[in-house]
Amino acid sequence: MITTDLEFRALLQSTFKVEADEHMQVISNGLLELEKTSGGNSQSIIETVFRATHTLKGAARAVDLTEIESLCQPMEDTLASWKRQESAPSRGALDLLHRALDSIATILTGASNANGSRSARPSPHRLENSPASVPARVTSASPSLQRPAPVRTTPMSVPPQGKAVAEETVRISLAKLEARLLESEEMLNAKLTAGQRAADLRELGGRVEELRRTWAAAEPDVRGLRQPRGQVFVGVERASCPELVRLLDVFDSSLDTLKALESTVAALGRTAEQDRYAVGKLVDDLLEDSKKLLLLPFATISTSFPKIVRDLCRDQGKEADFTIRGEEVEIDKRILEEMKDPIVHLLRNSIDHGIETPEERTRRGKPARATITLVVSQVNGSKAQLLLSDDGAGIDSGKVKESAVRQELISAEEAGRLDETEAQRLIFRSLLSTSPIITELSGRGLGLAIVQEKVEKMGGRVSVESRLGAGTAFCIVIPSTRATFRGVLVEAVGQLLVVPTAQVERVGRAVAGDLQTVEGHDTISFDGRTLPLVRLADALELPSAEGPTPSAAGTPFLVLGSGDARVAFAVDAVRDEQEVLVKPLRKPLSRVRNVAGVTVLGSGRVAAILNVSDLLRSARRTAGAEAQRTSAPKPSAVKARSILVAEDSITSRMLLKSILESAGYKVRTAVDGMEAFTLLRAEAFDLIVSDVEMPRLNGFDLTARIRADGKLADLPVVLVTALETREDRERGIDAGANAYIVKGSFDQSNLLEAVRRLI
């Protein structure tokens, strides 16, 4: 009985979470709309938000979630006051209501944990400045809560209350729906097998026909043996050659059998072709209809974007109007889920790197409020385009090239040869960032690299266009549905491999005159560009006793591209282009370099599907390996980098020391800023990790002293502190810190990543 009660409670809370998400979205949209609406127009919005809050409170009471109920009550009181026009919505009050929504979302996440544990749920009474501690009639914001003006947004409109949807619907578990779609995708194997069997029968029919022609060509000679004349059989009776008679009879019988077999194989081939066509059409229609089941409007994931923009702008002291157009465009749910993180990365990039502060925009003659626009459109029947643009500062290609050279992604000579477009493309390189300081929001150089990787993984592409001082636009083109995967089947040292067709720019055959050697590396000319030519087997590190024997017809090759990178890969043979069913890798092989998945061909053989982005990186390593072997100095003992940790808390000091020493660094410690500065003057260190709030000399002043000292001015400084406000981060930047890591969101990987980038 206890188990039944627990299951019933879990079912109730699961149902409540679905309902709560809908009400919270209505509340969030309404609050965002209130920030840009004034006067009598706001009353209808207040009424909608009030009803949603009241319903959410009642539903929370029904499932015994008293924390949510106690948060909804003061929200409802405040909204009731606004309804009666006893007070008006203010910036501070709206901020508090948004915080209450965030707290409710946190409680909902905790409520969905195993065993319904509430130990991790924040108590509404501990929620700082929560509406629970604010009087019902909020007339103005507390001075301590004043924030920069919130972002103006265009949220998804609140659904109308009257009209019901005419089309009948049924609610079904998404897991069941996806399971059926996966089963329908498995039917692709039946289509591939039917095609393979038809091809096998065509080949068999060709062989039988060739054999029958050979026997038919010998039939006149056999006929001559049956009616001997001339000198061969003169005076010889047929009865005296029984072996010859039997041989002639076998020939006649075999020829008749071959003719019948040819006819049978031809009939089976025609039947197999009909079956292949019928099965192929059924599978294609089933897959197409199944894909449409998971088509959802873009608004499914965009509802949270306005609030994300608002919160980011508030934290950074910036202002922006955010507009979304084309939310009705339908895209596969799985693609939408994959695209949510890249879009959030782009929004963060736009606000952190692109949008200026209101004061800076005013000084440049721009409106104080920036404009961020996300436009979703259907390019054709199978692709959708996402265009995210802002009117911010744009991309400074000079700073981008400088950062790329500093991170050793390109050489100074290569940077000098890049034009504006090529320089802007560098922002998608991993580890490249133009941020002056590393924070939890930016500076690690990973966000845009993640965007490109995820988009290309789905078979899409991303590009950027920017004008300095005028703004930046990111264009992403992605499939509307998960199209059937097509790949080029190639052979390398006896292995069958599949290369995604979408990233194959050309398949050709290079003769001796097409190949050139540049600085000891094989190259080939392609569209006026000289591309490196790398053996696919070498890039994949496949065992090979010797290279392929050059053929008079030439060497088959594929030109593969990802972004602006292009490499030609030599293979032993290019077999075919065909549809394949991608089987993702499972643990413990969930991430294998150069391999994106596997597939079972119609013949039953297993082939690896190659990851082109990985393959291009492997090709660069392969092409440069010989040069590295000849130019690299003899290995010698590498001196461990030395780091100074300044922290007044013994617990934090030992934790930081342990993390850094486990990563191979030599660590010294200091109990405050003054001792740290004294050690810096006496000994040589490669980097300093410092707390901010310390006796005698705090971290900000320590950083300023380091920058003012001629010998220490270039020493990297990482501040690890509990101070997380925008003003504190800006103070760290002004003092000259290279990285600012907040203890509240501390992760040792963030610290180690920052240290590795700086030394």
Side-chain angles (χ1 to χ4, degrees), residues 673 677 680 688 690 697-710 712-715 717 719 731-738:
F677 189 70
L680 289 173
I688 178 172
S690 175
L697 188 67
N698 64 41
F700 293 138
D701 294 337
L702 173 61
T703 304
R705 287 198 184 189
I706 292 172
R707 294 292 174 252
D709 189 290
L712 303 174
D714 296 329
L715 181 70
V717 179
L719 295 180
R731 188 177 173 188
I733 295 174
D734 294 338
N738 301 92

Side-chain angles (χ1 to χ4, degrees), residues 38-101:
S38 60
N41 295 333
S42 64
Q43 286 303 308
S44 61
I45 301 173
I46 294 173
E47 177 66 30
T48 300
V49 175
F50 176 81
R51 284 202 306 269
T53 305
H54 179 77
T55 305
L56 178 60
K57 182 187 74 172
R61 183 189 300 121
V63 294
D64 195 27
L65 288 176
T66 56
E67 299 97 330
I68 295 180
E69 181 186 358
S70 60
L71 281 170
C72 289
Q73 183 58 57
M75 292 175 63
E76 184 179 348
D77 293 342
T78 301
L79 292 165
S81 174
W82 294 349
K83 276 183 59 179
R84 295 190 297 268
Q85 298 186 0
E86 297 173 353
S87 61
S90 64
R91 185 171 59 187
L94 289 169
D95 279 347
L96 293 178
L97 293 181
H98 275 293
R99 290 186 206 173
L101 276 181

Side-chain angles (χ1 to χ4, degrees), residues 182 185 188 195 234 251 379 421-422 498 515 549 594-595 643 658 736:
L182 290 175
E185 288 179 340
L188 182 59
V234 174
F251 179 87
V379 178
T421 302
E422 292 172 332
V498 178
L515 304 179
T549 304
N594 298 323
V595 178
I643 297 177
S658 174

Side-chain angles (χ1 to χ4, degrees), residues 471-530:
T472 304
F474 289 92
C475 180
I476 298 176
V477 178
I478 53 175
S480 298
T481 62
R482 282 199 170 178
T484 304
F485 184 87
R486 296 193 66 83
V488 178
L489 187 64
V490 300
E491 184 177 343
V493 292
Q495 298 286 333
L496 288 179
L497 305 163
V498 178
V499 183
T501 300
Q503 292 169 296
V504 177
E505 298 202 359
R506 178 173 296 180
V507 176
R509 192 177 290 275
V511 296
D514 298 329
L515 304 179
Q516 295 178 345
T517 301
V518 178
E519 297 180 355
H521 304 303
D522 291 335
T523 63
I524 189 171
S525 179
F526 172 70
D527 287 347
R529 299 173 58 185
T530 300

Side-chain angles (χ1 to χ4, degrees), residues 393-531:
I395 298 175
D396 188 335
S397 58
K399 288 185 177 179
V400 172
K401 289 190 284 188
E402 179 185 343
S403 178
V405 172
R406 187 170 60 251
Q407 295 295 329
E408 299 181 355
L409 299 176
I410 58 174
S411 65
E413 293 75 15
E414 290 175 318
R417 293 194 297 266
L418 295 178
D419 59 24
E420 189 74 14
T421 302
E422 292 172 332
Q424 290 176 4
R425 289 287 307 180
L426 288 174
I427 64 177
F428 294 107
R429 294 280 191 95
S430 181
L431 300 181
L432 189 142
S433 176
T434 58
S435 177
I437 189 170
I438 301 174
T439 68
E440 68 276 9
L441 183 62
S442 65
R444 297 183 176 86
L446 299 175
L448 294 180
I450 292 173
V451 171
Q452 184 182 49
E453 181 180 351
K454 286 208 169 187
V455 170
E456 291 182 351
K457 184 178 179 181
M458 291 183 291
R461 64 181 186 275
V462 57
S463 60
V464 60
E465 183 178 344
S466 178
R467 285 191 302 149
L468 189 62
T472 304
F474 289 92
C475 180
I476 298 176
V477 178
I478 53 175
S480 298
T481 62
R482 282 199 170 178
T484 304
F485 184 87
R486 296 193 66 83
V488 178
L489 187 64
V490 300
E491 184 177 343
V493 292
Q495 298 286 333
L496 288 179
L497 305 163
V498 178
V499 183
T501 300
Q503 292 169 296
V504 177
E505 298 202 359
R506 178 173 296 180
V507 176
R509 192 177 290 275
V511 296
D514 298 329
L515 304 179
Q516 295 178 345
T517 301
V518 178
E519 297 180 355
H521 304 303
D522 291 335
T523 63
I524 189 171
S525 179
F526 172 70
D527 287 347
R529 299 173 58 185
T530 300
L531 301 181

Side-chain angles (χ1 to χ4, degrees), residues 223-493:
R223 193 181 305 115
L225 291 175
R226 292 181 183 281
Q227 300 173 353
R229 57 184 179 273
Q231 301 300 319
V232 180
F233 291 102
V234 174
V236 180
E237 295 182 1
R238 294 177 58 84
S240 63
C241 299
E243 295 85 358
L244 178 61
V245 172
R246 285 197 301 272
L247 182 62
L248 294 176
D249 291 341
V250 170
F251 179 87
D252 291 340
S253 175
S254 298
L255 183 59
D256 293 339
T257 301
L258 277 176
K259 290 180 180 179
L261 182 61
E262 181 183 19
S263 177
T264 302
V265 171
L268 288 175
R270 289 191 297 271
T271 303
E273 283 292 338
Q274 294 172 356
D275 291 344
R276 181 193 65 80
Y277 175 79
V279 171
K281 187 175 187 308
L282 286 174
V283 171
D284 290 342
D285 291 346
L286 177 61
L287 283 174
E288 191 65 28
D289 293 340
S290 299
K291 290 171 186 174
K292 291 178 181 178
L293 293 177
L294 287 181
L295 288 179
L296 296 175
F298 185 79
T300 306
I301 65 166
S302 66
T303 52
S304 62
F305 294 163
K307 191 173 188 305
I308 290 173
V309 173
R310 175 192 181 279
D311 292 343
L312 290 173
C313 285
R314 182 187 62 186
D315 291 341
Q316 299 222 358
K318 299 177 180 180
E319 301 175 3
D321 293 327
F322 180 50
T323 304
I324 305 178
R325 295 200 295 269
E327 289 182 300
E328 70 283 355
V329 174
E330 292 188 333
I331 301 175
D332 190 295
K333 173 187 176 294
R334 296 166 296 178
I335 295 177
L336 286 177
E337 290 175 346
E338 291 290 330
M339 283 306 303
K340 186 170 183 178
D341 284 345
I343 294 174
V344 171
H345 279 299
L346 291 179
L347 289 174
R348 287 177 175 172
N349 182 81
S350 175
I351 295 169
D352 192 47
H353 295 283
I355 301 303
E356 312 96 328
T357 62
E359 296 78 16
E360 179 67 16
R361 291 180 62 85
T362 302
R363 188 181 64 80
R364 295 184 179 183
K366 295 182 177 181
R369 294 184 183 277
T371 299
I372 303 175
T373 305
L374 177 58
V375 180
V376 186
S377 57
Q378 198 80 38
V379 178
N380 52 45
S382 61
K383 292 187 180 297
Q385 176 180 281
L386 313 179
L387 184 63
L388 181 67
S389 59
D390 64 63
D391 63 346
I395 298 175
D396 188 335
S397 58
K399 288 185 177 179
V400 172
K401 289 190 284 188
E402 179 185 343
S403 178
V405 172
R406 187 170 60 251
Q407 295 295 329
E408 299 181 355
L409 299 176
I410 58 174
S411 65
E413 293 75 15
E414 290 175 318
R417 293 194 297 266
L418 295 178
D419 59 24
E420 189 74 14
T421 302
E422 292 172 332
Q424 290 176 4
R425 289 287 307 180
L426 288 174
I427 64 177
F428 294 107
R429 294 280 191 95
S430 181
L431 300 181
L432 189 142
S433 176
T434 58
S435 177
I437 189 170
I438 301 174
T439 68
E440 68 276 9
L441 183 62
S442 65
R444 297 183 176 86
L446 299 175
L448 294 180
I450 292 173
V451 171
Q452 184 182 49
E453 181 180 351
K454 286 208 169 187
V455 170
E456 291 182 351
K457 184 178 179 181
M458 291 183 291
R461 64 181 186 275
V462 57
S463 60
V464 60
E465 183 178 344
S466 178
R467 285 191 302 149
L468 189 62
T472 304
F474 289 92
C475 180
I476 298 176
V477 178
I478 53 175
S480 298
T481 62
R482 282 199 170 178
T484 304
F485 184 87
R486 296 193 66 83
V488 178
L489 187 64
V490 300
E491 184 177 343
V493 292

Side-chain angles (χ1 to χ4, degrees), residues 629-640:
R629 283 194 294 268
T630 58
S631 63
K634 293 182 179 180
S636 60
V638 179
K639 181 182 178 182

